Amino acid sequence: MTFVYVGNAESQSVSIFSLAEDGALTPVDVKAVPGPAKPGSTTPMAVSPDKKFLTVGLRNEPYSAATFAIDGKTGKLNYVGSGPLADAMAYIGTDRSGKFLLGASYGGGKIAVNPIGANGVIGPALQVIAGQPNAHAVIADRANRHVLYSSLGSDTVGQLLFDAATGRLTPNDPPAVSVKPGAGPRHFRFSPDERFVYLLCELDGSIYVFPYDAASGRLSKELQVASALPPGFIGKPWCADIHLTPDGRFLYASERTSSTLAAFRVDATSGGLAPIASYPTEKQPRGFAIDPSGRVLLAVGQMSDSLTSHAIDAERGTLRPLKQYAVGKNPNWIEMVSVA
C-alpha cells in the first residue's frame, strides 16, 4: 500500500490519499498542521527513513516543524509534537539515519541541522551555517558522509562533510562548485547509483548533469546542460522541482510559468539526458513526486488547488494524465510512503 501526503500551504493542512497500482487515488483524511496560522505558512515536508514519521515545516514565526506518526495500516497522521527551526525553511530532509533534520532557508540564507528525538520530534538546532544566499535544498548522500546544498543567490552547489555521529557539517574541498551566473540553482537529485547529480536551475530552466564521486563527496565539471523549458517557451523561466524514476531511467522537471513537466530519458552509462517531451499539468506546479513503483507521477498546482495523476510509460517515459483530485489551498509539496 502506498500513501500520498500533500502539503497545502494556505490551508495549513496535509491531504492524505491512498494510491492504487493503476494510479487511482482514494481520499483518506485531511490533517491540520498545529502552529500559528498564517497564509502560506507550511511548505516543506520530510519522511523519516523508517517511514514512521512525517515532519512538516512552518514558515511563519515562531518557526517550527510539526511531527506526525504515520499509521502504517490506514495512512492517517497522528500529531506527536513540534520543535523549533532556525528560520523559515524552503526545504527539509533527514539524514540517512533519521537522527538529524537538515534544512535550507531561502530567506535567511542558512543551512541548519536539528537533532531528531526517538519520538520523531526535532530539538533546537545544533548548527546553523549562515551566509548561504537563497539556500534552496539540502540532501545527504547514501553513505551519510557528505551533504550537498543549492544556493540560488550565489549560483553554487555547496559541498559539505557530514559527521553522522554528531550531526556536524564542515566544508569539503572545494566547498562549492559554480553554475552559470543568474541560473539560480534550486532543487537537485542524486541518480539511484549516485554516479550523477541532476541540478534544476529556477531562473533559466537549465538542468546540469554533474558526475559525483561518492568517495569524496565532490562534483566534477558538468557533463551536460539541458533545458526544462517547453518548445516555443515565451516568458520568464520559473522552474521548481526535479525527480527521477526509482530505476533511474527517466527524469522529470516542473516549470511554473508554462505549467509543464519536462521528461527526459537518462543514459545509463553516461548519465546524459535526451528530451522526450513537455506535458501540460496543474497550474503552477511547484511540487510533484513519483511513486516507488515508478508507474505514477503526481503533480500539484499552487494556482489550481488540485492534483493530477499521470501514468508513466515504462518503456518510453511518456506521461499520460489519469485524473484530477481536489486538495487544499496552495498545494506545493508531495511525499509518498509505501508499506508492506
Side-chain angles (χ1 to χ4, degrees), residues 279-337:
Y279 299 91
T281 189
E282 292 287 341
K283 187 172 177 59
Q284 201 167 301
R286 180 172 178 176
F288 72 95
I290 297 170
D291 85 300
S293 75
R295 293 191 294 257
V296 180
L297 185 153
L298 305 178
V300 288
Q302 289 185 278
M303 299 297 290
S304 59
D305 298 337
S306 56
L307 174 155
T308 291
S309 58
H310 302 261
I312 300 174
D313 185 282
E315 295 302 319
R316 299 177 296 164
T318 54
L319 297 179
R320 176 172 56 88
L322 296 174
K323 189 175 179 179
Q324 188 176 55
Y325 301 83
V327 290
K329 292 186 178 299
N330 190 2
N332 53 28
W333 203 280
I334 303 177
E335 293 288 344
M336 296 195 205
V337 173

Side-chain angles (χ1 to χ4, degrees), residues 2-259:
T2 297
F3 299 112
V4 177
Y5 301 94
V6 178
N8 306 303
E10 291 188 28
S11 299
Q12 197 161 317
S13 66
V14 179
S15 298
I16 307 169
F17 299 86
S18 62
L19 175 65
E21 290 187 4
D22 63 0
L25 294 171
T26 301
V28 171
D29 196 11
V30 177
K31 190 72 173 181
V33 180
K38 181 182 178 182
S41 64
T42 61
T43 300
M45 301 195 299
V47 174
S48 62
D50 61 9
K51 312 299 183 187
K52 292 183 178 180
F53 299 104
L54 176 74
T55 299
V56 183
L58 281 81
R59 301 184 72 178
N60 54 300
E61 296 185 69
Y63 306 121
S64 63
T67 295
F68 299 87
I70 299 172
D71 187 311
K73 292 183 179 179
T74 67
K76 291 186 176 181
L77 299 175
N78 298 303
Y79 176 65
V80 179
S82 296
L85 291 173
D87 212 313
M89 297 298 171
Y91 192 105
I92 59 173
T94 72
D95 76 319
R96 299 302 173 126
S97 72
K99 295 180 180 178
F100 301 100
L101 186 77
L102 307 174
S105 171
Y106 183 89
K110 300 170 185 172
I111 298 296
V113 184
N114 292 68
I116 300 176
N119 62 351
V121 178
I122 68 167
L126 296 171
Q127 183 182 13
V128 177
I129 304 174
Q132 313 301 319
N134 304 131
H136 224 310
V138 55
I139 304 176
D141 69 0
R142 187 167 51 199
N144 216 32
R145 295 190 297 114
H146 307 100
V147 166
L148 300 179
Y149 67 93
S150 55
S151 172
L152 183 147
S154 65
D155 291 309
T156 60
V157 177
Q159 304 181 140
L160 299 166
L161 303 175
F162 180 60
D163 186 329
T166 64
R168 187 76 181 174
L169 295 168
T170 54
N172 205 336
D173 182 19
V177 297
S178 297
V179 297
K180 180 182 177 182
R186 183 179 167 91
H187 285 188
F188 63 91
R189 299 293 164 190
F190 289 93
S191 62
D193 59 10
E194 286 202 340
R195 294 173 53 224
F196 305 98
V197 167
Y198 297 90
L199 170 71
L200 178 64
C201 293
E202 177 176 335
L203 305 181
D204 70 357
S206 59
I207 301 175
Y208 280 69
V209 182
F210 289 104
Y212 179 70
D213 180 2
S216 66
R218 292 193 290 258
L219 300 173
S220 299
K221 181 176 174 53
E222 69 271 11
L223 293 171
Q224 181 186 6
V225 180
S227 176
L229 303 179
F233 177 86
I234 297 175
K236 182 180 179 181
W238 197 21
C239 287
D241 207 3
I242 184 169
H243 293 280
L244 293 109
T245 52
D247 60 11
R249 294 179 60 209
F250 304 108
L251 177 144
Y252 303 89
S254 64
E255 202 288 314
R256 287 173 285 185
T257 298
S258 59
S259 296

